[in-house]
Amino acid sequence: MNKPLRILVVDDSALARRLLRELLESDPLVEVVGEACNGREAIEMVVALHPDLVTMDVRMPIMDGVETTRQLMAYHPLPILVLTTSLSSYDIDITFQMLGAGALDVMEKPRLDQPGALEEARRSLVRKVRMLARIQVVTHLRGRRGKQSDTYVVPAETSPAASEKPALPVPPKPPAQPGASITPPFKPMAPPLATGIPPHTMTPMRSAACRFDAVVIGASTGGPRVVCQILARLPGDFAATVIVVQHIAQGFSTGMAEWLSDQLTLPVHLATEGMRLQAGHVFLVPDQFDLLIQPNCTVHLSGLPLLMQRPAIDIAMQSVVAVFGAATTGVLLTGMGRDGAIGMRTIRRAGGFTIAQDEATSTIFGMPRAAIELGAADLVLPPERIATTLIKRFALGPQ
């Protein structure tokens, strides 16, 4: 029989701790091994109890969620699930600072004043905890230096020196087929082995209304931190429009857009109906909607129940490539499942360019792995080299 997952609940509210314990222990494979009412106590209990996962409140006395997350990820790394009651700007900002410091995911706390939704909240919480508790996390060394941002421990093969290695061969890219379906029949190709940067030489067949290129970034668990890490390196005169599709809990996409806006040089927008894409701007797809791009280079948000996961990375990538053609670059980051793999294949088959995050730096390698196994990734890189590749690729503007 499987051993129960050992969970530490951290919250300054005794009522919240009791509710979370009851909800979590409704699953026989989950055991709450301790409760802490502030960050300092949480760190002491992590050292003593060695839990598999911590649920972490945002606002607490003595040591808040941000500093607690930094300390834990620097000295005692383990999966952290952020739970917040409020979606106010203040709490959302702290929440995304915690994600930036190494927490894996965020959920809204279950609420007693919504009894009809409590069972769904219980199922969602247990499902999330069971998924995250199995993830192997990395140490974030900047937490030891008191920095507010975090970093990966980059293996030697992905160090800056390795970036100077010559490019290895990549699988042949099928020529673009004008008027062809954006989901053509698939013939398996070998996974890519390249470490170089293919030149951006193919003439894009973009819509006449779009006079620039498009970068579509898809991410799920562990994504906000990596998305920020990549986009923060892009210059203010970046020559492409950037569309970010992040799987995130309902109600948190607005906060993510605000958080990114504070971190980046590029302007950040939460995409809205009819908004026009612009080069040098970042557009985040709102939760509960799928993003479609119209031929006139404007946004359409679809609420049709097409897939279980919304926003769907596949839908956004296929819509973008239908308008931008070979002028599309796809980037697929950390996440569970296969969303984005078909979209990456569509981009590559249309003559575009694709990058998957490497396994060493992925919180969950599921989505990048799926794209690689489809032969849909031109390059497989860590985040800092993804950013460098995008900068070099668009240094001279659209080709």
Side-chain angles (χ1 to χ4, degrees):
M1 183 176 179
N2 292 332
K3 293 175 59 177
L5 297 172
R6 295 164 50 82
I7 310 302
L8 174 65
V9 172
V10 183
D11 199 297
D12 64 339
S13 165
L15 181 61
R17 295 196 303 271
R18 186 179 70 183
L19 174 61
L20 290 171
R21 176 184 283 274
E22 291 176 356
L23 296 180
L24 289 168
E25 291 191 335
S26 68
D27 188 312
L29 293 181
V30 177
E31 177 187 4
V32 176
V33 295
E35 300 176 13
C37 63
N38 61 64
R40 184 177 299 170
E41 188 174 291
I43 293 172
E44 294 172 353
M45 296 185 77
V46 165
V47 174
L49 299 173
H50 304 288
D52 297 307
L53 177 141
V54 171
T55 67
M56 185 78 70
D57 192 13
V58 174
R59 293 202 226 187
M60 296 180 292
I62 303 178
M63 186 182 290
D64 69 6
V66 178
E67 186 57 30
T68 306
T69 300
R70 288 182 187 140
Q71 292 295 314
L72 286 175
M73 297 310 296
Y75 296 100
H76 313 286
L78 80 169
I80 296 174
L81 172 62
V82 182
L83 297 178
T84 179
T85 302
S86 171
L87 297 181
S88 68
S89 296
Y90 177 77
D91 282 3
I92 288 293
D93 181 65
I94 295 178
T95 294
F96 280 96
Q97 287 185 53
M98 293 169 70
L99 293 175
L104 292 182
D105 213 337
V106 58
M107 288 183 65
E108 192 172 5
K109 288 182 186 178
R111 296 173 56 175
L112 286 172
D113 61 351
Q114 297 178 339
L118 197 57
E119 175 58 23
E120 176 57 33
R122 184 196 68 81
R123 288 196 298 266
S124 297
L125 177 62
V126 169
R127 183 169 59 247
K128 185 75 70 174
V129 163
R130 290 181 63 170
M131 179 186 76
L132 298 181
R134 307 294 186 185
I135 295 173
Q136 293 186 347
V137 298
V138 297
T139 301
H140 296 263
L141 296 178
R142 289 193 181 181
R144 301 184 182 186
R145 299 196 292 268
K147 297 289 183 68
Q148 300 217 353
S149 57
D150 70 309
T151 186
Y152 289 109
V153 179
V154 182
E157 63 268 22
T158 60
S159 65
S163 66
E164 303 304 321
K165 293 179 181 179
L168 299 176
V170 299
K173 182 181 296 185
Q177 299 293 328
S181 167
I182 62 173
T183 53
F186 169 61
K187 182 178 181 180
M189 296 181 288
L193 300 173
T195 57
I197 302 172
H200 185 191
T201 56
M202 180 173 288
T203 302
M205 296 180 293
R206 64 172 74 81
S207 165
C210 303
R211 300 174 181 272
F212 42 82
D213 288 18
V215 177
V216 190
I217 300 176
S220 189
T221 305
R225 174 171 51 92
V226 185
V227 168
C228 185
Q229 184 180 4
I230 293 170
L231 296 183
R233 296 183 178 221
L234 302 185
D237 60 351
F238 191 67
T241 191
V242 181
I243 297 166
V244 177
V245 189
Q246 171 69 53
H247 296 167
I248 200 162
Q250 184 175 355
F252 287 92
S253 55
T254 299
M256 182 172 174
E258 293 173 353
W259 174 68
L260 286 175
S261 185
D262 290 338
Q263 308 297 315
L264 309 183
T265 299
L266 300 176
V268 179
H269 312 274
L270 186 66
T272 58
E273 183 67 28
M275 182 176 283
R276 182 172 294 279
L277 299 181
Q278 301 178 66
H281 288 242
V282 177
F283 298 86
L284 179 68
V285 183
D287 58 75
Q288 304 303 301
F289 288 95
D290 282 316
L291 177 131
L292 304 174
I293 302 302
Q294 307 285 38
N296 64 356
C297 220
T298 61
V299 168
H300 171 57
L301 298 178
S302 171
L304 295 177
L306 299 179
L307 293 177
M308 291 180 63
Q309 179 65 59
R310 184 186 290 132
I313 301 167
D314 280 327
I315 288 178
M317 285 185 169
Q318 292 182 42
S319 176
V320 171
V321 79
V323 173
F324 284 85
T328 307
T329 296
V331 179
L332 194 58
L333 305 177
T334 172
M336 179 175 288
R338 302 183 59 83
D339 191 19
I342 298 297
M344 292 274 281
R345 185 183 71 185
T346 303
I347 292 171
R348 195 164 191 265
R349 282 178 169 265
F353 176 48
T354 55
I355 311 172
Q357 185 178 352
D358 68 353
E359 183 172 9
T361 62
S362 293
T363 301
I364 301 178
F365 193 49
M367 295 189 331
R369 183 196 301 276
I372 294 166
E373 289 175 347
L374 281 184
D378 287 306
L379 298 179
V380 181
L381 300 172
E384 68 277 5
R385 290 185 60 200
I386 294 175
T388 301
T389 301
L390 293 176
I391 292 169
K392 290 181 178 180
R393 184 168 175 77
F394 295 105
L396 301 177
Q399 305 297 305

